[in-house]
Amino acid sequence: GNFEIARTLFAAGVTKCPDHVPLYQAWACLEVRGENNEKAKTLISEALTRDKSEGSGWLVAAKIEEKLGNKGLMAMILRRGLQCSPNSPEIYNALADYEIRRGKIDLARELLQNGIEVDPLHAPLYHSLAELEARVFNIKGLSELNKRAAEIFRTNALESPPVSMNLLATQLRKSAQSNKKIPNNITGLTQMNFVEHIDVGEDIDMDPDAIIENMN
């Protein structure tokens, strides 16, 4: 698309509505796509100055620093975001992903579990926690998570029938014995299709990559 036209429209928008935070966030995402990261940082700072409780703003700010290679600063932004927007499940998920990459499994698990407590209907948290437990061969943890997810989402959220945990356990053991990664076709929570909870009428925090992609 035409970036200059988009920039002109965004500039007009924030001039007319200087306190409309989503405009700053969307403009920042546009600049990220255009590799104009310094401008994006300025815009998202404006957004967060106006409303620190917007979880999506912190996610975009963290994504900018990640693109710049500032992983430590990215983590600091996510932690600050969690303080200012403690009910944003996406921030829990993003910070847990960072901790997993650092090998901090227990900390990542705690973040994901806390995120589920905050929003028990946010399906991506269950996927992330299931993948974490599968990675460390925590069959008991997977079983408990499977039970909880089934109770919450029920049949309207699961497209496949319940899977035997014995089959899951067998596949995990075979994978561990062969010293290989968990097979891609493993069944269970890591492949369940949940319906993500969306509360119509409320601002929805999104993954920063999704925000940026939606600027197409």
Side-chain angles (χ1 to χ4, degrees), residues 47-68:
L48 291 172
T49 297
R50 285 165 170 76
D51 189 353
K52 292 182 173 62
S53 67
E54 281 281 348
S56 54
W58 295 103
L59 289 167
V60 174
K63 175 56 66 175
I64 293 170
E65 296 303 335
E66 182 181 26
K67 285 182 174 294
L68 292 173

mmCIF file of all heavy atoms in Angstrom, residues 47-68:
data_model
loop_
_atom_site.group_PDB
_atom_site.id
_atom_site.type_symbol
_atom_site.label_atom_id
_atom_site.label_comp_id
_atom_site.label_asym_id
_atom_site.label_seq_id
_atom_site.Cartn_x
_atom_site.Cartn_y
_atom_site.Cartn_z
ATOM 1 N N ALA A 47 1.283 6.872 22.728
ATOM 2 C CA ALA A 47 0.103 6.074 23.074
ATOM 3 C C ALA A 47 0.128 5.667 24.546
ATOM 4 O O ALA A 47 -0.881 5.785 25.256
ATOM 5 C CB ALA A 47 0.034 4.835 22.189
ATOM 6 N N LEU A 48 1.290 5.204 25.010
ATOM 7 C CA LEU A 48 1.398 4.737 26.394
ATOM 8 C C LEU A 48 1.363 5.897 27.383
ATOM 9 O O LEU A 48 0.923 5.730 28.522
ATOM 10 C CB LEU A 48 2.678 3.924 26.563
ATOM 11 C CG LEU A 48 2.682 2.570 25.842
ATOM 12 C CD1 LEU A 48 4.061 1.927 25.893
ATOM 13 C CD2 LEU A 48 1.639 1.632 26.453
ATOM 14 N N THR A 49 1.812 7.061 26.953
ATOM 15 C CA THR A 49 1.723 8.245 27.816
ATOM 16 C C THR A 49 0.261 8.590 28.073
ATOM 17 O O THR A 49 -0.112 8.989 29.186
ATOM 18 C CB THR A 49 2.432 9.443 27.165
ATOM 19 O OG1 THR A 49 3.823 9.135 27.033
ATOM 20 C CG2 THR A 49 2.268 10.700 28.017
ATOM 21 N N ARG A 50 -0.556 8.397 27.054
ATOM 22 C CA ARG A 50 -1.974 8.719 27.173
ATOM 23 C C ARG A 50 -2.769 7.637 27.901
ATOM 24 O O ARG A 50 -3.764 7.926 28.571
ATOM 25 C CB ARG A 50 -2.573 8.958 25.780
ATOM 26 C CG ARG A 50 -2.171 10.302 25.207
ATOM 27 C CD ARG A 50 -2.448 10.409 23.707
ATOM 28 N NE ARG A 50 -2.260 11.796 23.245
ATOM 29 C CZ ARG A 50 -1.078 12.344 23.057
ATOM 30 N NH1 ARG A 50 0.035 11.642 23.286
ATOM 31 N NH2 ARG A 50 -0.981 13.606 22.653
ATOM 32 N N ASP A 51 -2.357 6.385 27.759
ATOM 33 C CA ASP A 51 -3.078 5.294 28.425
ATOM 34 C C ASP A 51 -2.142 4.115 28.649
ATOM 35 O O ASP A 51 -1.887 3.332 27.729
ATOM 36 C CB ASP A 51 -4.291 4.868 27.596
ATOM 37 C CG ASP A 51 -5.192 3.891 28.350
ATOM 38 O OD1 ASP A 51 -4.807 3.446 29.447
ATOM 39 O OD2 ASP A 51 -6.287 3.577 27.838
ATOM 40 N N LYS A 52 -1.665 3.992 29.864
ATOM 41 C CA LYS A 52 -0.731 2.905 30.196
ATOM 42 C C LYS A 52 -1.444 1.569 30.397
ATOM 43 O O LYS A 52 -0.801 0.526 30.497
ATOM 44 C CB LYS A 52 0.056 3.254 31.464
ATOM 45 C CG LYS A 52 1.036 4.395 31.294
ATOM 46 C CD LYS A 52 1.795 4.645 32.580
ATOM 47 C CE LYS A 52 2.901 5.683 32.386
ATOM 48 N NZ LYS A 52 2.365 6.992 31.975
ATOM 49 N N SER A 53 -2.774 1.599 30.478
ATOM 50 C CA SER A 53 -3.515 0.365 30.746
ATOM 51 C C SER A 53 -3.803 -0.452 29.494
ATOM 52 O O SER A 53 -4.321 -1.557 29.574
ATOM 53 C CB SER A 53 -4.843 0.686 31.446
ATOM 54 O OG SER A 53 -5.719 1.396 30.573
ATOM 55 N N GLU A 54 -3.457 0.099 28.320
ATOM 56 C CA GLU A 54 -3.690 -0.605 27.062
ATOM 57 C C GLU A 54 -2.609 -1.659 26.847
ATOM 58 O O GLU A 54 -1.465 -1.332 26.530
ATOM 59 C CB GLU A 54 -3.694 0.375 25.894
ATOM 60 C CG GLU A 54 -4.988 1.146 25.738
ATOM 61 C CD GLU A 54 -6.075 0.312 25.072
ATOM 62 O OE1 GLU A 54 -5.767 -0.769 24.535
ATOM 63 O OE2 GLU A 54 -7.236 0.746 25.112
ATOM 64 N N GLY A 55 -2.965 -2.926 27.002
ATOM 65 C CA GLY A 55 -1.978 -3.989 26.853
ATOM 66 C C GLY A 55 -1.359 -4.062 25.474
ATOM 67 O O GLY A 55 -0.161 -4.353 25.327
ATOM 68 N N SER A 56 -2.144 -3.773 24.442
ATOM 69 C CA SER A 56 -1.622 -3.865 23.082
ATOM 70 C C SER A 56 -0.494 -2.870 22.847
ATOM 71 O O SER A 56 0.425 -3.126 22.063
ATOM 72 C CB SER A 56 -2.751 -3.640 22.071
ATOM 73 O OG SER A 56 -3.422 -2.425 22.332
ATOM 74 N N GLY A 57 -0.544 -1.721 23.522
ATOM 75 C CA GLY A 57 0.525 -0.737 23.382
ATOM 76 C C GLY A 57 1.855 -1.279 23.878
ATOM 77 O O GLY A 57 2.899 -1.089 23.234
ATOM 78 N N TRP A 58 1.843 -1.945 25.004
ATOM 79 C CA TRP A 58 3.066 -2.533 25.552
ATOM 80 C C TRP A 58 3.592 -3.644 24.647
ATOM 81 O O TRP A 58 4.808 -3.811 24.486
ATOM 82 C CB TRP A 58 2.807 -3.065 26.957
ATOM 83 C CG TRP A 58 2.480 -1.986 27.940
ATOM 84 C CD1 TRP A 58 1.240 -1.652 28.432
ATOM 85 C CD2 TRP A 58 3.399 -1.067 28.551
ATOM 86 N NE1 TRP A 58 1.330 -0.594 29.295
ATOM 87 C CE2 TRP A 58 2.640 -0.208 29.395
ATOM 88 C CE3 TRP A 58 4.780 -0.891 28.473
ATOM 89 C CZ2 TRP A 58 3.229 0.803 30.140
ATOM 90 C CZ3 TRP A 58 5.373 0.127 29.221
ATOM 91 C CH2 TRP A 58 4.592 0.950 30.045
ATOM 92 N N LEU A 59 2.671 -4.408 24.050
ATOM 93 C CA LEU A 59 3.091 -5.475 23.147
ATOM 94 C C LEU A 59 3.791 -4.917 21.914
ATOM 95 O O LEU A 59 4.810 -5.446 21.469
ATOM 96 C CB LEU A 59 1.874 -6.312 22.726
ATOM 97 C CG LEU A 59 1.271 -7.209 23.801
ATOM 98 C CD1 LEU A 59 -0.099 -7.722 23.361
ATOM 99 C CD2 LEU A 59 2.201 -8.380 24.109
ATOM 100 N N VAL A 60 3.235 -3.846 21.351
ATOM 101 C CA VAL A 60 3.864 -3.222 20.185
ATOM 102 C C VAL A 60 5.227 -2.635 20.563
ATOM 103 O O VAL A 60 6.213 -2.794 19.830
ATOM 104 C CB VAL A 60 2.949 -2.133 19.586
ATOM 105 C CG1 VAL A 60 3.679 -1.384 18.470
ATOM 106 C CG2 VAL A 60 1.666 -2.756 19.045
ATOM 107 N N ALA A 61 5.292 -1.979 21.714
ATOM 108 C CA ALA A 61 6.569 -1.411 22.168
ATOM 109 C C ALA A 61 7.620 -2.507 22.338
ATOM 110 O O ALA A 61 8.787 -2.340 21.956
ATOM 111 C CB ALA A 61 6.364 -0.668 23.491
ATOM 112 N N ALA A 62 7.208 -3.639 22.890
ATOM 113 C CA ALA A 62 8.137 -4.757 23.081
ATOM 114 C C ALA A 62 8.579 -5.337 21.739
ATOM 115 O O ALA A 62 9.752 -5.687 21.551
ATOM 116 C CB ALA A 62 7.480 -5.836 23.936
ATOM 117 N N LYS A 63 7.641 -5.439 20.793
ATOM 118 C CA LYS A 63 7.974 -5.977 19.483
ATOM 119 C C LYS A 63 8.986 -5.092 18.762
ATOM 120 O O LYS A 63 9.891 -5.589 18.075
ATOM 121 C CB LYS A 63 6.706 -6.112 18.650
ATOM 122 C CG LYS A 63 6.922 -6.558 17.207
ATOM 123 C CD LYS A 63 7.684 -7.870 17.092
ATOM 124 C CE LYS A 63 6.891 -9.040 17.648
ATOM 125 N NZ LYS A 63 7.609 -10.333 17.423
ATOM 126 N N ILE A 64 8.864 -3.782 18.918
ATOM 127 C CA ILE A 64 9.817 -2.861 18.296
ATOM 128 C C ILE A 64 11.223 -3.124 18.822
ATOM 129 O O ILE A 64 12.185 -3.227 18.052
ATOM 130 C CB ILE A 64 9.408 -1.405 18.560
ATOM 131 C CG1 ILE A 64 8.088 -1.078 17.837
ATOM 132 C CG2 ILE A 64 10.509 -0.452 18.096
ATOM 133 C CD1 ILE A 64 7.496 0.251 18.226
ATOM 134 N N GLU A 65 11.352 -3.260 20.139
ATOM 135 C CA GLU A 65 12.681 -3.501 20.724
ATOM 136 C C GLU A 65 13.220 -4.867 20.317
ATOM 137 O O GLU A 65 14.434 -5.025 20.117
ATOM 138 C CB GLU A 65 12.612 -3.386 22.243
ATOM 139 C CG GLU A 65 12.250 -1.998 22.747
ATOM 140 C CD GLU A 65 13.185 -0.913 22.262
ATOM 141 O OE1 GLU A 65 14.366 -1.216 21.945
ATOM 142 O OE2 GLU A 65 12.744 0.257 22.176
ATOM 143 N N GLU A 66 12.335 -5.835 20.181
ATOM 144 C CA GLU A 66 12.781 -7.158 19.734
ATOM 145 C C GLU A 66 13.340 -7.073 18.314
ATOM 146 O O GLU A 66 14.374 -7.676 18.003
ATOM 147 C CB GLU A 66 11.619 -8.150 19.783
ATOM 148 C CG GLU A 66 12.014 -9.562 19.384
ATOM 149 C CD GLU A 66 10.860 -10.530 19.414
ATOM 150 O OE1 GLU A 66 9.699 -10.089 19.253
ATOM 151 O OE2 GLU A 66 11.110 -11.742 19.594
ATOM 152 N N LYS A 67 12.662 -6.331 17.449
ATOM 153 C CA LYS A 67 13.139 -6.167 16.081
ATOM 154 C C LYS A 67 14.484 -5.460 16.027
ATOM 155 O O LYS A 67 15.289 -5.698 15.124
ATOM 156 C CB LYS A 67 12.095 -5.408 15.251
ATOM 157 C CG LYS A 67 10.879 -6.238 14.863
ATOM 158 C CD LYS A 67 9.914 -5.435 14.015
ATOM 159 C CE LYS A 67 8.779 -6.303 13.499
ATOM 160 N NZ LYS A 67 9.247 -7.349 12.550
ATOM 161 N N LEU A 68 14.714 -4.596 17.010
ATOM 162 C CA LEU A 68 15.988 -3.880 17.083
ATOM 163 C C LEU A 68 17.077 -4.704 17.770
ATOM 164 O O LEU A 68 18.214 -4.258 17.894
ATOM 165 C CB LEU A 68 15.794 -2.556 17.833
ATOM 166 C CG LEU A 68 14.939 -1.506 17.104
ATOM 167 C CD1 LEU A 68 14.670 -0.321 18.020
ATOM 168 C CD2 LEU A 68 15.630 -1.048 15.826
#
